[in-house]
Amino acid sequence: NNSNSHMDLIFAAAMIRARSYGIPEINKLQAKQIVGRIVPAIATTTAMTVGAIALELYKVALGHKDLEVYRSTNFNLAVNSYASFEPTPCKNNSFGRTKANPKLDVNLWTMLTLTGDLTVQDVIDYFQENYEYEVTSISTTGDVTLYNDLFDQDDRLGLKIADLYKGSLKCTPPTYIPLTIDGDFEESDEDGDGDENEDEDEDEDE
């Protein structure tokens, strides 16, 4: 339908992206042919996937806490197979073992928030003092490593996380800088279920 200008917008956006990333450009007729082949796929598997996700979002919005209420869905249109089953619960581990800070029950979605314009040493000290956790590396968006003690980067200990982020990613750091902290406990965990990988958001006070 050429009357609603939808194709004009799609073509213009595609060409901007192509020119920005060095992708070979095409003419408008070729773009219409490509879109014509994509639409049937969007109207089948994509629509079904979005519908299944939307049903689960309704359950979240209604405040359901029981895992049995939710469903994981698997379908294969090639063999006409459809299955719905109860999702596997997220595995919980214990993290930290100081007397001042009891162990945290953490999982894949657990995040710790540190506030302030912190340096690498500040982050290392936080985990050491609160959880007896020895930090070995700090990374951020896109698996960009900001600090790794294996590479003799003691010169970075006094640098601010925000400055390292800006220098590594060549962009202004966001208010919340996502960090992935890797390390280990100084001694073996008594119950053997310590978690060696923790995600955190750092709130940078500008």
Side-chain angles (χ1 to χ4, degrees):
N1 184 358
N2 295 321
S3 63
N4 55 25
S5 300
H6 288 180
M7 193 60 221
D8 292 335
L9 175 61
I10 293 173
F11 177 69
M15 291 305 97
I16 291 173
R17 183 175 184 274
R19 192 162 297 181
S20 299
Y21 294 97
I23 301 171
E25 298 181 29
I26 58 177
N27 58 46
K28 190 172 181 180
L29 179 59
Q30 290 173 309
K32 291 181 71 173
Q33 292 173 335
I34 293 172
V35 170
R37 291 195 296 268
I38 293 174
V39 169
I42 294 176
T44 52
T45 53
T46 304
M48 292 179 65
T49 302
V50 172
I53 293 172
L55 289 175
E56 300 308 304
L57 285 175
Y58 278 121
K59 299 172 186 178
V60 174
L62 291 172
H64 290 292
K65 302 296 184 182
D66 192 349
L67 186 63
E68 295 180 356
V69 173
Y70 297 88
R71 287 292 179 270
S72 290
T73 304
N74 181 282
F75 53 83
N76 188 334
L77 298 185
V79 296
N80 202 30
S81 171
Y82 309 89
S84 179
F85 47 91
E86 184 179 325
T88 303
C90 190
K91 181 181 178 181
N92 285 299
N93 291 312
S94 294
F95 181 84
R97 55 201 187 98
T98 63
K99 294 181 180 179
N101 292 274
K103 288 184 179 180
L104 298 175
D105 287 330
V106 299
N107 56 44
L108 180 65
W109 308 105
T110 301
M111 303 186 78
L112 297 176
T113 301
L114 277 64
T115 59
D117 194 9
L118 305 180
T119 64
V120 171
Q121 188 65 60
D122 291 333
V123 175
I124 293 174
D125 292 344
Y126 173 85
F127 282 93
Q128 179 64 47
E129 295 170 4
N130 290 282
Y131 303 105
E132 294 184 3
Y133 190 72
E134 186 176 352
V135 174
T136 57
S137 71
I138 302 173
S139 56
T140 187
T141 307
D143 292 329
V144 175
T145 300
L146 302 180
Y147 168 79
N148 192 317
D149 68 349
L150 294 177
F151 301 144
D152 191 24
Q153 295 180 331
D154 291 347
D155 56 318
R156 296 192 176 191
L157 294 176
L159 299 180
K160 295 180 179 180
I161 294 292
D163 293 338
L164 284 173
Y165 183 99
K166 183 177 182 179
S168 299
L169 279 75
K170 309 301 180 185
C171 63
T172 302
T175 302
Y176 288 90
I177 301 177
L179 299 177
T180 298
I181 308 298
D182 289 302
D184 201 355
F185 293 103
E186 292 184 344
E187 300 175 4
S188 59
D189 201 351
E190 295 177 358
D191 53 14
D193 56 0
D195 190 355
E196 296 186 4
N197 202 323
E198 187 69 25
D199 286 338
E200 124 192 8
D201 271 345
E202 180 182 342
D203 185 3
E204 292 290 341
D205 295 332
E206 299 298 334

